[in-house]
Amino acid sequence: MGIFDKFFSKNEEKEAAEIKNYKNFWDWFLTKEKVFFDVVKNHNNIENNFFDVIAPKLKELNGGYYFLAGMSDDSTAELILTVEGDIKNIAFAEEIIEMAPKLDHWKFTALKPEMNLTSGIEMDGRKFSGENIFFYENEVEGYPDEIDITFVYEGLNEENKDAVVTGVCVFLDNFLGELNFATQIDTFNVVDKDNAQKELVPVTKLKDFLSWREREFTEKYKNVKDFSEEDKFSVFEATLQNGSPLIATINTSLLTYDSKASYPWISILKVQYNGENNNGLPQKEDYEKLSNIEEQIIEELKIEDGHLYIGRENADNMKESYFASKDFRKPSKVLKKVMDDHPEYKMTLEIYKDKYWQSFERYNVNQN
């Protein structure tokens, strides 16, 4: 693809036609695709005539969509839907593109693809390329499957650190592709060459390294059976700094599971309720309603489909429900539907990779 224009929505106004599903969006797009093609091909005020028109329509479906547009070749315009690496929205970018119509002069792509960055990229007057970005892997004691990488950029200092880290991330996002960058590396940091502690490997070898580690991980866990022991839930009580009580119910039998890394994706659904007159805990009506909602989720995220229910926590007017999964896509869809179906509660969702469930070490359970 040639030069892309990146867009963050500025115009929130909607046209009269309401977009309720993917078909609505693509039906609407078809009514304007010839105009859009001319705008993209001729760079005819692309922000006003394309970006500001399409963005509100996409937002009616999902507020987490962004996009890139440019000419894939002389006769084909390309629209790439991106979620800026937000795991919980990846499945929806993939879904809408799967529903895209086949058009002679358009190419539709979910997530930023891998690009051949032979000459690298330039940001804020700095070049980021295979010539000045290196890496090495860090061994994390007790967590052998964790992929922790240090990237090395010569010339990094305290004054330019934020700009350099951003430049390295943008390079990796395009070099690896959005999906791979978001899912293949667990943790990373960026240091100056003088602070490197191991032999430097050119970043051009990163794809091969990550593919090797992924094959190694898959081989290690391919025969791991689904967790099937009887659930044992324990109740934990604590007091927050503000004096409010915290009550958690956790499946402690899961926390002793020796192959947690086979369920690396953690989903946390946070639900706000009014516990003002109950020390921050839910009143009976909310407790029952939220319990029913959680039971519905557990029914959807079944153990046989690769999902585990870890437990819940109530405190300070907030309920958090915890799940671990082999993949992040179904939890994204199930939990978003729950949020859409229950507008009476303010809900937020987090999905992230945590191979060793370090998020739950606070329950002080011997995991090995």
Side-chain angles (χ1 to χ4, degrees):
M1 180 173 275
I3 298 175
F4 288 99
D5 298 287
K6 185 175 180 179
F7 171 75
F8 292 89
S9 177
K10 297 178 182 178
N11 186 345
E12 304 274 331
E13 295 180 3
K14 299 178 181 179
E15 294 183 16
E18 188 174 2
I19 306 298
K20 295 183 178 181
N21 53 50
Y22 300 140
K23 183 179 186 303
N24 290 161
F25 173 79
W26 290 116
D27 286 346
W28 170 84
F29 187 92
L30 286 171
T31 67
K32 298 179 178 292
E33 62 91 6
K34 291 183 174 59
V35 173
F36 288 158
F37 176 82
D38 289 338
V39 168
V40 174
K41 182 175 183 179
N42 299 316
H43 290 275
N44 180 18
N45 197 359
I46 191 169
E47 182 167 337
N48 289 333
N49 295 330
F50 183 44
F51 292 161
D52 286 354
V53 179
I54 195 174
K57 294 299 181 182
L58 286 170
K59 189 171 183 179
E60 290 184 54
L61 289 174
N62 190 317
Y65 289 138
Y66 303 98
F67 54 86
L68 311 168
M71 294 301 294
S72 178
D73 56 45
D74 290 341
S75 61
T76 307
E78 183 169 11
L79 173 64
I80 299 177
L81 285 190
T82 169
V83 297
E84 295 301 302
D86 189 344
I87 297 295
K88 67 179 180 292
N89 285 320
I90 286 175
F92 303 108
E94 293 173 337
E95 276 190 339
I96 189 172
I97 293 301
E98 287 175 2
M99 294 286 292
K102 305 297 182 184
L103 301 175
D104 290 340
H105 299 295
W106 279 96
K107 179 181 179 181
F108 303 108
T109 303
L111 311 175
K112 286 173 277 188
E114 295 181 32
M115 297 181 69
N116 182 11
L117 298 177
T118 305
S119 58
I121 62 172
E122 189 169 320
M123 293 182 62
D124 298 325
R126 297 182 181 85
K127 187 174 182 180
F128 299 88
S129 71
E131 297 178 356
N132 60 8
I133 301 177
F134 303 88
F135 79 97
Y136 58 84
E137 182 186 19
N138 301 300
E139 295 181 6
V140 184
E141 186 176 357
Y143 305 108
D145 297 307
E146 195 84 357
I147 299 179
D148 181 85
I149 294 177
T150 292
F151 292 101
V152 179
Y153 184 89
E154 189 170 8
L156 181 150
N157 55 48
E158 286 303 316
E159 287 72 30
N160 65 23
K161 184 175 182 179
D162 289 345
V164 168
V165 171
T166 298
V168 171
C169 287
V170 171
F171 173 85
L172 294 171
D173 202 29
N174 288 278
F175 177 63
L176 297 175
E178 184 174 359
L179 180 62
N180 291 336
F181 183 40
T183 61
Q184 289 187 330
I185 300 174
D186 296 314
T187 54
F188 71 91
N189 67 325
V190 184
V191 303
D192 177 54
K193 194 171 185 178
D194 292 339
N195 292 314
Q197 298 179 2
K198 291 186 177 181
E199 181 180 351
L200 303 186
V201 181
V203 76
T204 51
K205 297 183 180 297
L206 181 61
K207 292 180 183 179
D208 290 338
F209 167 76
L210 293 175
S211 295
W212 167 67
R213 285 301 305 270
E214 189 168 29
R215 287 195 301 272
E216 184 182 61
F217 179 82
T218 302
E219 181 68 21
K220 181 176 180 179
Y221 290 103
K222 71 177 183 179
N223 293 320
V224 173
K225 296 181 180 180
D226 285 337
F227 188 89
S228 57
E229 294 181 17
E230 184 178 353
D231 291 335
K232 298 176 183 177
F233 285 89
S234 299
V235 176
F236 296 81
E237 298 185 15
T239 302
L240 303 179
Q241 289 185 348
N242 64 8
S244 298
L246 179 151
I247 299 178
T249 304
I250 301 297
N251 189 339
T252 50
S253 55
L254 284 182
L255 298 185
T256 61
Y257 185 40
D258 61 2
S259 295
K260 297 183 186 71
S262 59
Y263 294 85
W265 294 102
I266 302 299
S267 301
I268 302 179
L269 181 67
K270 298 183 178 182
V271 186
Q272 291 186 19
Y273 54 79
N274 184 1
E276 183 177 348
N277 298 319
N278 198 32
N279 293 320
L281 298 176
Q283 303 274 6
K284 181 180 179 181
E285 182 179 350
D286 280 324
Y287 180 85
E288 292 178 352
K289 189 168 183 180
L290 294 176
S291 294
N292 289 335
I293 291 172
E294 189 174 71
E295 286 298 324
Q296 292 169 10
I297 297 171
I298 294 170
E299 282 296 312
E300 290 283 339
L301 299 179
K302 298 178 183 295
I303 186 171
E304 56 264 32
D305 295 330
H307 311 282
L308 301 173
Y309 171 58
I310 297 175
R312 61 184 178 271
E313 184 177 286
N314 284 289
D316 209 15
N317 304 296
M318 178 80 71
K319 176 178 182 177
E320 298 185 359
S321 297
Y322 308 122
F323 299 86
S325 301
K326 290 182 177 292
D327 186 61
F328 55 85
R329 289 174 176 83
K330 186 167 183 179
S332 299
K333 298 174 187 178
V334 169
L335 296 173
K336 184 178 185 300
K337 186 174 187 305
V338 167
M339 295 167 70
D340 292 341
D341 288 346
H342 296 280
E344 69 273 22
Y345 291 108
K346 182 177 180 181
M347 301 186 185
T348 56
L349 173 62
E350 296 178 29
I351 298 181
Y352 56 89
K353 201 172 191 181
D354 183 2
K355 287 178 179 173
Y356 291 93
W357 300 6
Q358 296 176 65
S359 306
F360 307 107
E361 288 180 353
R362 63 186 182 273
Y363 294 107
N364 297 317
V365 175
N366 183 9
Q367 299 182 31
N368 293 300

